[in-house]
Amino acid sequence: MLAPGVQATGIPSGPMPPTGAVPPGMRPPVRWGPAVPHTPWWQQEGMISRMLAVAGVGVTLIGVVMLLVLAAQAGLFGPVPRVAAGAVFSAALVGVGMRVFGRAGGRVGGIALAATGIAGAYLDVVAVSAIYDWLYPPLGLAVALAVAAGGVALAMHWKSQPLAVLVVAGAAVLSPVVTTEVVLPAFLIVLQLACVPVQLDRDWPLLHVVRTLPAVLATLLAIGSAAFDATAHDRVYRLLAAAVAVAVVGLVGNILVVRRRPGDLTATITFGLATIPLLAAPALFARHTGAIVAAVFAVVLLLVAAVSTVSKLRELVRIPGHVGLVAAVAGSFALLEACIGVTEVQTLPIALFLVTSGFLGMAGQQRSRVAAGIAAAFAAVGALVYLATVNPETLAAQRYAEEQLGISTALAAVLALAVVAAGVWCVRKFATRTGDETTESILWIPTSVVALYAVTAATVSVGVATGLPDGFVVGHSAATILWMAAATGALLFGLRNLARSAPVAKLALGSGLLVTAAALAKLFLFDLATLDGLVRVAAFLVVGVLLLTVGTRYARVFAEAGGATRDSGDTAAH
């Protein structure tokens, strides 16, 4: 008996499946091929040869350093034989490397030999300039630049990033063994500079790091050592020049590279590293001199950031956004250093709040989140510095207030109010762009708290600054009145917009009621116990009149709204 739907041939009857489709019952079993064995890393093609080549480069260069330095310390041979032997040996290695490279399978060996020879020649030039003083430093740096340029040119010709990396890394790592003098950063900066043309033509990210990091570390360590050395006055300007050179090479090299490859993030990261020594350089000088150095550096970096922010300029100079971000962050640090250098503790918040206002203006105008973030950072630092002096205890106790407060704290409080206003404007700009009104509503609460605190600090500071015996209590009385005046303004604004824009009216009325509650709490919990005489009477009278005014207006507006609702209902019924 055949199964239903099966013909005598064994082929299922019924409609044929589409071309290329196989019925489920006739699918052939899946046969898996033999598993591909995993090759350990040490058995991968060329891995061992590369490891041996790198080890050979390192060991041979150490031998060159021993010839140049340790033999000199032990008094072996003379200076001329040591230098000549190093030069001849390096040239021979380069020659053999070029010969080996052209043979079958000779790429790894040729690269290793050539890299060893070029790095050895560079170390020989460092020794001739720094140890034996046979070459005046500028001439020695020029010769070193020629050697390094020849090495990277050969790497470009061979299309070999490893050759360039080995040359730069070998020379950079062993140069501090040859010399630790102030000329060392200069020789490492030469390596940083020599590789810039390579990066314009080749996308070699590892070379970015290897050419930049040694110069940054050496210059930074030299600056740190000199900053704690009272006898280093003769070196500070040379170290400043080294820090400037590292930053300039990093900035110019980065701009040239990203104009060709806008997505090269490694170049931008190394540019950020290159700014660190110059950010540390103000520590070498007196406060005002260091502030000038930081201010000039801040201007340059922030100009780069501004160019990358403005769309027309960005298209003209072709600087991508990630370069502007790094420049803005580094420039902000430099600007903070400048602010600290030209101010005292009492006046530092003034400078910080001024800077904050500027960044907020740029953020709102350009819709720049980077500028907004920097503004928030400066505002936070300014607030912390301000609260260190004008804390709640200082505002509450007359003795502390008379010791700490004055015109500078009053001006800083006024600027804090300006920062609050600029921040609200900036948030509204972003909210208009994104259509997010919730964030704007939530921010009104902390904004109101900050504004009330700043108003109190300003009025009390002005009162104390007048030198009057009752200046402290007059300032607090004025603060309470201003709190209530602000609450009244918010409530009246909300009532006026009740029919036009319900969300705006709701926000204004809620804020006004909260501030009213705060003003009444201050009036009864603090002012009643602290103030006396006519000052206390004036505070209660003014606050009372404002409450009556706004209460009357509040009742009338809602009565009119209720009457209009009833009238519209009667009209609809008729």
Side-chain angles (χ1 to χ4, degrees):
M1 291 291 293
L2 295 175
V6 179
Q7 299 175 356
T9 58
I11 301 175
S13 62
M16 294 298 292
T19 304
V22 180
M26 300 183 62
R27 289 176 182 167
V30 178
R31 291 185 175 86
W32 299 96
V36 179
H38 176 68
T39 305
W41 65 268
W42 64 85
Q43 294 182 2
Q44 295 178 8
E45 183 180 359
M47 183 59 67
I48 295 298
S49 61
R50 293 190 184 94
M51 294 178 60
L52 292 175
V54 172
V57 172
V59 171
T60 306
L61 287 177
I62 292 174
V64 172
V65 171
M66 290 181 176
L67 174 66
L68 296 172
V69 179
L70 299 183
Q73 294 176 353
L76 302 177
F77 312 111
V80 175
R82 287 192 292 268
V83 172
V88 171
F89 184 61
S90 298
L93 287 175
V94 174
V96 174
M98 297 179 69
R99 186 177 181 85
V100 170
F101 185 84
R103 296 179 179 177
R107 180 176 179 83
V108 174
I111 290 172
L113 289 168
T116 306
I118 296 168
Y122 196 90
L123 295 173
D124 205 40
V125 175
V126 174
V128 167
S129 303
I131 297 179
Y132 304 117
D133 296 326
W134 292 352
L135 291 177
Y136 191 61
L139 182 58
L141 293 173
V143 176
L145 179 61
V147 173
V152 296
L154 183 61
M156 291 183 67
H157 179 67
W158 285 357
K159 299 180 181 179
S160 172
Q161 180 179 201
L163 174 58
V165 169
L166 287 174
V167 169
V168 175
V173 170
L174 292 175
S175 289
V177 181
V178 178
T179 181
T180 57
E181 298 297 328
V182 71
V183 75
L184 172 62
F187 279 102
L188 298 179
I189 294 169
V190 165
L191 292 174
Q192 181 193 14
L193 177 62
C195 296
V196 171
V198 184
Q199 301 291 166
L200 298 180
D201 188 61
R202 305 288 182 186
D203 185 12
W204 290 348
L206 186 57
L207 186 60
H208 273 308
V209 179
V210 173
R211 74 182 178 87
T212 303
L213 197 58
V216 169
L217 291 178
T219 308
L220 192 61
L221 290 174
I223 290 173
S225 176
F228 295 99
D229 186 359
T231 63
H233 299 296
D234 58 330
R235 295 184 289 164
V236 293
Y237 287 102
R238 281 183 285 177
L239 291 176
L240 175 62
V244 171
V246 172
V248 169
V249 174
L251 174 60
V252 175
N254 181 34
I255 291 177
L256 292 176
V257 169
V258 297
R259 282 171 60 87
R260 297 194 176 198
R261 295 189 300 275
D264 196 335
L265 295 179
T266 307
T268 301
I269 293 173
T270 54
F271 157 55
L273 293 175
T275 63
I276 296 176
L278 193 50
L279 291 175
L284 297 172
F285 303 94
R287 286 186 59 194
H288 291 88
T289 305
I292 293 173
V293 173
V296 173
F297 193 33
V299 169
V300 174
L301 291 175
L302 293 177
L303 281 176
V304 174
V307 167
S308 67
T309 302
V310 181
S311 58
K312 292 183 179 180
L313 292 177
R314 184 174 61 247
E315 294 172 359
L316 180 64
V317 298
R318 291 182 295 164
I319 296 180
H322 52 84
V323 177
L325 174 61
V326 172
V329 173
S332 300
F333 277 108
L335 187 56
L336 178 61
E337 289 179 329
C339 291
I340 294 173
V342 298
T343 59
E344 302 294 337
V345 176
Q346 295 281 352
T347 56
L348 178 57
I350 297 175
L352 296 177
F353 290 148
L354 283 173
V355 172
T356 302
S357 300
F359 276 111
L360 284 175
M362 179 180 295
Q365 186 69 28
Q366 300 293 330
R367 307 292 203 280
S368 172
R369 297 186 182 276
V370 174
I374 294 173
F378 270 95
V381 175
L384 291 175
V385 176
Y386 190 69
L387 287 175
T389 302
V390 189
N391 50 52
E393 184 181 10
T394 302
L395 291 178
Q398 183 171 356
R399 180 170 64 88
Y400 294 146
E402 292 175 348
E403 292 175 356
Q404 299 289 338
L405 304 184
I407 293 299
S408 60
T409 55
L411 181 57
V414 173
L415 289 174
L417 289 172
V419 167
V420 170
V424 171
W425 171 76
C426 187
V427 169
R428 296 192 66 181
K429 283 284 189 179
F430 280 102
T432 302
R433 182 181 180 182
T434 60
D436 183 11
E437 296 182 356
T438 304
T439 303
E440 182 182 355
S441 301
I442 294 174
L443 285 177
W444 272 104
I445 298 175
T447 297
S448 300
V449 173
V450 173
L452 294 179
Y453 194 93
V455 166
T456 306
T459 56
V460 176
S461 296
V462 171
V464 171
T466 59
L468 298 175
D470 295 334
F472 175 77
V473 294
V474 170
H476 268 292
S477 176
T480 305
I481 293 172
L482 288 176
W483 284 27
M484 193 60 220
T488 302
L491 290 171
L492 294 178
F493 177 79
L495 293 173
R496 189 179 301 113
N497 288 273
L498 194 60
R500 303 174 188 172
S501 176
V504 174
K506 181 180 179 181
L507 181 62
L509 291 174
S511 301
L513 292 175
L514 287 175
V515 176
T516 299
L520 291 175
K522 182 177 184 297
L523 184 67
F524 284 97
L525 297 179
F526 182 83
D527 295 354
L528 186 61
T530 305
L531 308 184
D532 56 5
L534 292 177
V535 175
R536 181 166 56 188
V537 172
F540 273 80
L541 287 177
V542 174
V543 171
V545 170
L546 291 175
L547 281 171
L548 289 173
T549 302
V550 74
T552 303
R553 177 63 178 166
Y554 205 96
R556 188 172 65 184
V557 168
F558 277 92
E560 292 174 353
T565 303
R566 287 193 299 271
D567 291 342
S568 62
D570 294 340
T571 302
H574 288 297

